[in-house]
Amino acid sequence: MLKTDILIIGSGISGLFFAMKTAKKRPDLSIVIMTKESAQNTNTQLAQGGIAVVTDLIKDSFSKHIHDTLRSGGGLCDKEIVNMVIKQAPERLQELIEIGTSFDKNEKGQWDLGLEGGHSQHRILHHKDSSGLEIEQKLLKIIRKMPNIELLENHLVIDLNTEVKRNKTICTGAFFYEKKHNRIKYIRTRSVVLSTGGCGQLFENTTNPKIATGDGIAMAARAGAEIVDMQYIQFHPTALFTGKKNPLFLISEAVRGFGAHIVNEDGKRFLFKYDIRGELATRDMVSNAISKELQLSGKDHVYLDCRHLNAAEFYAHFPVIAAHCNELGIKPEKDLIPVVPAAHYQCGGIKVDENGATSIKNLYAVGECARTGLHGKNRLASNSLLEALVFAHQASENVDRTIAEFTFSNKILIPKFPKAEQTNDYYAFNILKNELQKLVTAFYTSEERDADLAFEKIKLLNNSAIALVKDHEITIPFIEFSNMIATSLIIIKQCKEAANKQMC
Ligand code: SIN
């Protein structure tokens, strides 16, 4: 039977940083990272903006960053967590630098600090407009060389197993689907870390890749972990509008920080009507303002206007964005860039404490799938990579302190679904997925949300999915779709509960 001391599920910044730190500190522990596609296929590698860290103690301060984070979170952040994350940021940044991660500097050799919505100061460290990719690659390079880490790509974790020992529920292993051999297997563990990212694929317009199907939320919920604040899905104001395409290409908030304007069909700026910070208001404000403007105009997108900016500097700062626009025939120095708000980040998730520990004793959640208390209702731009680093560190320290309490279970478990079906049913599931995306988007963006109707419709979609599965044979699209259904139901339920609370 397979076993590993620590199982990490997901290969974005939080999972890899946790793995690297833990493997260095505890060479005696075996670590397995399972990721459902190739290791680099993560939300992290798409992160453009960068990491918000206070590095300039003359113009900036921890208290300003704390204030900006709390203000963006709309009164729902956990102040102690905000304080801890922001004060720990320079140390975690230093660790990234030590492994060779490169962040841009200006001609004076100082950090070239970017500005983004909701920040009162320039404080975003970035690697041009591909900060996440730079971090992901540097971490992967190290991880692949560490003798006590095994990185298993194309391994889709289906479910966690828990057992009750001395009145405590603990996580003792996981069922996973090994794509190469088309087999479902079980692995025993002493500790599990979920770093599975978010659920942007539940929405028609999203910046999240196809893999963002809420797997961690669904698995954790099935295992009995507490999930909170899933009603707070953040929409990024400026995804490149390219009709019905999923995912949409992100145009970083840093572009607005660099001076770009948002304009309507008549070429007029309109954001100041909604917030005095205009283009540099927080994401929720800017996205809501654009949605209202679109409702009024009946159009399906607005524009980002970069024509007044220095073109050479724009191309130097945003080479990936510029190249992508150019490929579509859009020249940012001459043309308006069509943009639309798109689901971008899940602010809620699996409830964790300051150590990334969930309500199940040896189960941790880090990164976007975790709800740490840092973001409240609306995450401040570029605070997510930072949160991932800090909580991966906290969780790593905690695992080091506590793993001795957990031993391997001797139980030999037989998967509920013994066999995986190889036939390709992606087409049928894509149709169901599109229906689900339409439904969740319509529900979430409606001013009069009818949760009961949404539940009914989702149940019908679920029945259709089950009808596609023969006997005991499951498929990858079925597993992902089931996770999407489970996550949608949680979002709708928590939206309904939040609405009911407001009425009381
Ligand atoms: C962006 O570059 O606008 C995205 C960064 C983030 O999500 O914080």
Side-chain angles (χ1 to χ4, degrees), residues 86 188 224 252 317 380 391 498:
I86 285 162
R188 288 181 298 153
S252 176
H317 269 83
L380 182 66
F391 276 85

Side-chain angles (χ1 to χ4, degrees), residues 201-205 210 244-246 426-442 461 481 484:
Q201 279 295 321
L202 294 179
F203 295 84
E204 282 183 299
N205 279 345
K210 294 280 181 204
K244 286 220 170 306
K245 193 166 170 265
N246 177 314
Y426 280 85
Y427 180 75
F429 274 100
N430 268 345
I431 296 175
L432 292 181
K433 209 168 138 183
N434 291 344
E435 286 302 310
L436 182 65
Q437 288 165 339
K438 260 192 233 157
L439 200 158
V440 175
T441 305
L461 285 178
F481 189 72
M484 290 173 74

Side-chain angles (χ1 to χ4, degrees), residues 291-342:
S291 299
K292 283 198 184 122
E293 206 71 11
L294 293 178
Q295 263 170 22
L296 291 175
S297 68
K299 303 283 176 201
D300 48 18
H301 61 275
V302 290
Y303 297 93
L304 200 58
D305 188 354
C306 303
R307 295 171 303 177
H308 54 287
L309 303 174
N310 179 306
E313 282 182 20
F314 183 89
Y315 275 75
H317 269 83
F318 307 110
V320 176
I321 294 171
H324 191 88
C325 288
N326 284 181
E327 267 169 37
L328 298 173
I330 303 166
K331 298 251 177 267
E333 67 278 25
K334 287 204 311 234
D335 304 318
L336 294 175
I337 305 173
V339 290
V340 72

